Amino acid sequence: MSVETADFIVVGAGIAGASVAYELSLQGKVIVLEMESSPGYHSTGRSAAVMSENYGPALWSRLVTASRAFLETPPDGFTDVPLVTPRGALFLARDGEQAQLAAQADELLSRGASIELTSSEEALRFCPVIRTSEFVSALYEPDCMDIDTNALLTGYLKVLRARGGRLVTNGKVEVLERSGNVWRISTPSGSFEAPVIVNAAGGWVQEIASLAGLPYRNVVPFRRTAVVFDPPSGSSIQSWPMTFDVAETFYFKPEAGRIMVSPVDMAMSEPCDAQADELEVAIAIDRIHTYTTMEVRTVKHKWGGLRTFAPDHEPVIGRDAQEPSFIWLAGQGGNGVMGGAAAARLAASFALNAEIPPDIAALGITTENVSPGRACVLDASGDKPVVGTFEAFG
Ligand SMILES: Cc1cc2nc3c(=O)[nH]c(=O)nc-3n(C[C@H](O)[C@H](O)[C@H](O)COP(=O)(O)OP(=O)(O)OC[C@H]3O[C@@H](n4cnc5c(N)ncnc54)[C@H](O)[C@@H]3O)c2cc1C
């Protein structure tokens, strides 16, 4: 059987794989291997599709800041439609959470983001269904955007092809071995070889590392549930922001004329075709009834998706501690779509043995703080996550 060679092989055609393939295709031939019959089937196709610079842990939210320019002004020819449209985000604090809200405001201001701090009463002008008795203050982030994830993914893959790269679907990596200076890979759709491999397999990154003969690493998928219901009749929801509570027990947003809500569940999972969890569907409905004046009469749609985390929830991007030709682009958690553009440039710099892009370095991202070799990622016991490790980081 013939073997197709490339300079870089990327495993996974979610937003991570497609974006790093796009970056690397400027430097050489890239082949993306995707086990499903189409790209974006798993986490990337199941997200809430927003970009907020106030969402996620410190380093991820900085990568969101570094991704904003690409999403707002993509290169010529990338897409015919806007990648982002205004949404706004509202973060609601209960009594006792004001200090946390103030710290978030300071961090956002230090990165040049626009914000407005208000009382929960005043926040009704942004979102008229908040149960204001539950909250005391709010932070409004006007520059939070909805992302057209499909246009983003399609744009990356279109440019990849135009630069001579290739997406191989039904291309599940089944064998992965280092032989001399190349990785040899077998899939049902052919065999491939490249000196450098990028592991962008989302919830499956650990499986890919194991196939490569690398030890267990603490990068673990967790399921999240989303529920869609009809808004109150007569309400004009399109201008409502994505609304979160600071304690992270729910968020909701307008979604194609309906409301999407998540109870922000986080249940450790095997990598799989995730489904909505029925108990979490009930909790999502209860949160809407408790924290808003809306009523959920019928669930119109629901789904589950995987979010994959290192214990500290920060990016896992860089050369493997044991095998430097194996590049990790993992641990995207809940920021993979919004922060993906900068994460891809960062991963590409490691694949190319280049400096971290200066705008990303200026935000305090270093080789060490995103490294797959940092202690909490390496600190696994044999073949499973250390119990308590993830909880310790919250
Ligand atoms: C309910 C929910 C809401 C979210 N909301 C947001 C949001 O608003 N904004 C945001 O930025 N992020 C959000 N996220 C997170 C975001 O969806 C993820 O961070 C992102 O999609 C991860 O992308 P990925 O490419 O790493 O993973 P994936 O999209 O899962 O891609 C990995 C790919 O690897 C492939 N693969 C696996 N194993 C193999 C193999 N052996 N061979 C070949 N291919 C393989 C898989 O088939 C898959 O297509 C949300 C997630 C969920 C679940």
Side-chain angles (χ1 to χ4, degrees):
M1 198 196 225
S2 69
V3 176
E4 188 174 348
T5 60
D7 297 300
F8 306 96
I9 285 176
V10 175
V11 184
I15 205 68
S19 55
V20 73
Y22 164 90
E23 293 296 336
L24 290 171
S25 64
L26 280 170
Q27 308 295 332
K29 180 176 173 187
V30 184
I31 296 174
V32 181
L33 302 175
E34 168 54 52
M35 70 177 172
E36 302 293 352
S37 56
S38 57
Y41 176 77
H42 288 288
S43 302
T44 297
R46 304 172 192 214
S47 98
V50 296
M51 172 183 67
S52 161
E53 292 179 66
N54 189 35
Y55 187 75
L59 301 180
W60 264 119
S61 62
R62 291 176 205 175
L63 287 175
V64 176
T65 296
S67 298
R68 176 177 279 281
F70 184 94
L71 292 170
E72 288 182 339
T73 319
D76 286 345
F78 188 90
T79 175
D80 296 331
V81 296
L83 294 178
V84 288
T85 45
R87 167 58 53 212
L90 189 64
F91 298 85
L92 300 168
R94 296 175 184 80
D95 197 16
E97 293 168 353
Q98 295 96 323
Q100 193 180 340
L101 199 70
Q104 291 179 359
D106 288 346
E107 165 70 21
L108 281 169
L109 288 171
S110 75
R111 275 185 270 138
S114 306
I115 57 153
E116 190 180 326
L117 283 168
T118 70
S119 68
S120 57
E121 289 288 340
E122 288 166 344
L124 284 172
R125 76 191 136 98
F126 301 117
C127 184
V129 292
I130 302 161
R131 211 177 276 285
T132 50
S133 55
E134 295 289 330
F135 303 99
V136 290
S137 55
L139 184 160
Y140 182 64
E141 181 195 5
D143 295 334
C144 168
M145 299 282 194
D146 273 344
I147 304 172
D148 185 336
T149 309
N150 187 46
L152 182 61
L153 188 66
T154 306
Y156 280 133
L157 293 172
K158 180 182 76 173
V159 177
L160 170 72
R161 283 187 205 98
R163 291 175 180 162
R166 194 153 99 78
L167 166 66
V168 178
T169 51
N170 301 309
K172 181 176 183 182
V173 173
E174 293 175 337
V175 178
L176 172 57
E177 55 195 13
R178 187 88 181 151
S179 171
N181 289 330
V182 292
W183 289 100
R184 293 202 169 136
I185 300 173
S186 300
T187 79
S189 294
S191 298
F192 304 90
E193 251 179 41
V196 176
I197 187 166
V198 181
N199 182 10
W204 288 260
V205 282
Q206 180 54 49
E207 295 204 342
I208 301 302
S210 298
L211 280 175
L214 297 168
Y216 185 89
R217 303 285 155 74
N218 257 335
V219 191
V220 178
F222 290 77
R223 185 214 58 232
R224 175 154 287 184
T225 301
V227 176
V228 171
F229 65 94
D230 276 335
S233 62
S235 51
S236 55
I237 61 168
Q238 187 44 35
S239 64
W240 292 4
M242 175 93 159
T243 300
F244 307 78
D245 65 334
V246 167
E248 290 198 51
T249 66
F250 70 89
Y251 64 67
F252 65 89
K253 66 169 284 203
E255 173 83 30
R258 292 185 160 141
I259 303 284
M260 172 208 169
V261 55
S262 175
V264 299
D265 48 326
M266 190 154 164
M268 201 177 275
S269 170
E270 293 296 315
C272 64
D273 190 352
Q275 304 297 316
D277 180 87
E278 284 309 321
L279 177 60
E280 297 298 341
V281 171
I283 292 172
I285 295 169
D286 182 62
R287 300 254 154 94
I288 287 294
H289 292 166
T290 305
Y291 297 115
T292 79
T293 54
M294 292 187 284
E295 191 184 344
V296 182
R297 291 178 193 275
T298 320
V299 170
K300 294 292 181 186
H301 181 42
K302 60 190 171 186
W303 70 89
L306 298 178
R307 306 180 328 136
T308 299
F309 291 95
D312 59 4
H313 291 202
E314 293 291 11
V316 178
I317 303 178
R319 292 180 279 272
D320 183 77
Q322 190 168 312
E323 175 49 66
S325 64
F326 185 97
I327 310 298
W328 290 78
L329 175 51
Q332 280 80 356
N335 293 84
V337 181
M338 59 180 113
R345 287 194 290 129
L346 183 60
S349 73
F350 292 118
L352 296 164
N353 256 319
E355 296 287 313
I356 292 179
D359 63 313
I360 297 177
L363 291 167
I365 310 278
T366 65
T367 303
E368 291 71 30
N369 60 20
V370 296
S371 171
R374 66 186 185 269
C376 73
V377 177
L378 293 183
D379 181 23
S381 64
D383 62 354
K384 56 184 186 314
V386 179
V387 175
T389 313
F390 286 83
E391 293 76 2
F393 286 94

